[in-house]
Structures are given as structure tokens and as C-alpha cells.
Amino acid sequence: MGEPQFEIREMTIDDFPEVHKLWMTIKGFGIRTIDDSKEGVERFIKRNPTTSIVAEADGKIVGSILCGHDGRRGCFYHVCVAEAYRKHGIGKTMAVAAMRALKAEKINKVCLIAFKDNEIGNCFWKSVGWTFREDLNYYDFTLNEENITNFNK
């Protein structure tokens, strides 16, 4: 496959079936039963209508970033590119588009979480200039035990 032609655009809830199908192909992806359902993603997009991104190539969605902010800091979730479309600049182009959308909303910093064993993702983020933080600890607290994370194999 030569260089794929791709288009980057804002994600809408109408993209959910194709985006979810893509997520299910990504090895190691943690999919939550509530947050990553259609209703959960719709809630997220309504709160952040201009910042989530998809990449389309060959008539299908081949990449996505759920991106939102709290008014102070942006965050990337579920950043992925279909395996057959990697190493063609799609991930970097999506990240830049999402960061531009955050800057348009006056957000000055963005973060993401990459699982330690996600070697491909960690190498990617370091290669495009993101800083690995060693000066902090990350904590979370589960408010809804029904929101179970399942990992793709």
C-alpha cells in the first residue's frame, strides 16, 4: 500500500459504530462498558463538540481521538490508528488537529495516559515530542463499579 490519502475531521456521534468497531481491533485497548458505550461517547461529544477527531481513508474511519477538556486542561482518550494505516502520519495529523481545536478553546496544555505495556503508543508519543512525566503519581477512584474495563486481545 502506498501513501494513503486521508481526511481529518471532527468526530460526531454518527461516527460511533465505525469508531467502536475500530477500537475493538486495537490490541491492548481498554474499553469501558459505560463510558465507551454509544450513550457514554455521546455524552462526551456533547460536552466537547469540536475537539474529538477521526481520520477517514478508503471510505472508512481508520483513526480516532476522543479529546475533551475541563476548561483548564485537555485530555486525549482512545487515540488509535488502524494497524494497516500506521506510519503514514495519520496519528500525528490527528493529534495536531485535536490540539488546534483545544487551542481554539483557550486550552493551553493537554495530557494523555498510555499504559506502560503499550510499547507502540509510548514510542509514538515520545517520537512526536510529548514529555514523559516522572514527577507525579496518577490516582483514580471508581465511582461506578458497573463501568468495567475489558481489554482487547
Side-chain angles (χ1 to χ4, degrees):
M1 172 168 85
E3 287 296 313
Q5 298 297 309
F6 61 91
E7 175 190 349
I8 304 296
R9 63 172 175 78
E10 287 178 12
M11 181 188 300
T12 71
I13 193 57
D14 293 337
D15 296 318
F16 178 79
E18 231 181 312
V19 168
H20 191 269
K21 182 178 168 184
L22 171 63
W23 290 348
M24 299 308 290
T25 69
I26 305 298
K27 292 178 184 150
F29 237 42
I31 304 295
R32 292 191 175 159
T33 54
I34 297 172
D35 293 342
D36 297 324
S37 67
K38 183 175 183 184
E39 295 77 20
V41 172
E42 184 170 33
R43 189 172 47 253
F44 185 88
I45 290 175
K46 280 183 179 176
R47 181 177 170 88
N48 302 280
T50 64
T51 53
S52 292
I53 302 296
V54 294
E56 289 183 309
D58 301 322
K60 62 185 174 187
I61 292 176
V62 299
S64 70
I65 299 177
L66 277 180
C67 175
H69 68 84
D70 60 10
R72 179 179 170 122
R73 181 170 295 196
C75 193
F76 285 1
Y77 304 91
H78 290 347
V79 179
C80 65
V81 175
E83 193 169 349
Y85 291 85
R86 292 178 185 163
K87 301 192 184 230
H88 295 286
I90 294 172
K92 185 175 182 180
T93 304
M94 286 193 312
V96 168
M99 289 187 287
R100 282 189 180 133
L102 289 170
K103 282 183 82 172
E105 296 197 22
K106 309 252 187 284
I107 303 302
N108 298 307
K109 195 163 192 171
V110 60
C111 64
L112 63 86
I113 296 169
F115 290 110
K116 286 186 179 283
D117 63 356
N118 179 355
E119 190 174 323
I120 293 169
N122 285 298
C123 287
F124 171 78
W125 293 114
K126 289 175 186 174
S127 77
V128 295
W130 285 57
T131 303
F132 176 75
R133 301 277 307 260
E134 294 187 45
D135 61 329
L136 54 81
N137 294 316
Y138 174 82
Y139 297 90
D140 68 16
F141 189 89
T142 300
L143 297 174
N144 185 345
E145 295 292 336
E146 294 177 13
N147 192 27
I148 299 165
T149 302
N150 296 306
F151 290 92
N152 296 340
K153 295 183 186 213

